[in-house]
Amino acid sequence: MRVAVADEGVSGLTATKCCLDEGLDPTCFEWSQDNGGLWWKLHHFLTEMYSALQ
Ligand SMILES: Cc1cc2nc3c(=O)[nH]c(=O)nc-3n(C[C@H](O)[C@H](O)[C@H](O)COP(=O)(O)OP(=O)(O)OC[C@H]3O[C@@H](n4cnc5c(N)ncnc54)[C@H](O)[C@@H]3O)c2cc1C
């Protein structure tokens, strides 16, 4: 069965993994260029801040 997952944040990636575990056929839709949602954005922000402080 095909399944649409809206977003590639932590919730979307987890939902996608669960779908795969259940033998479903998920397609993940993410409107930004990066996956990981807020976790990725926070990592990116902290990396830039750390670089600026050096
Ligand atoms: C400053 C800060 C620090 C945090 N620290 C922690 C921590 O230490 N530990 C912890 O466990 N949690 C932490 N959190 C909380 C954690 O980041 C969130 O609970 C978690 O990221 C939520 O995941 P999510 O997938 O539900 O949403 P999000 O991470 O917000 O992902 C949503 C995704 O959906 C996409 N999207 C939105 N609308 C659409 C659409 N219409 N079509 C396609 N894509 C769409 C967005 O681009 C985004 O990539 C923190 C949050 C913040 C803001």
Side-chain angles (χ1 to χ4, degrees):
M1 178 191 291
R2 297 178 66 197
V3 177
V5 179
D7 93 61
E8 285 186 5
V10 175
S11 302
L13 291 173
T14 305
T16 302
K17 170 73 167 61
C18 290
C19 288
L20 290 171
D21 288 348
E22 295 297 323
L24 302 172
D25 180 17
T27 300
C28 224
F29 295 92
E30 169 59 53
W31 68 6
S32 73
Q33 291 183 338
D34 304 308
N35 56 20
L38 278 176
W39 281 14
W40 168 250
K41 290 178 178 64
L42 184 61
H43 167 77
H44 188 65
F45 170 75
L46 291 175
T47 303
E48 281 198 353
M49 195 174 77
Y50 183 72
S51 297
L53 290 173
Q54 287 184 328

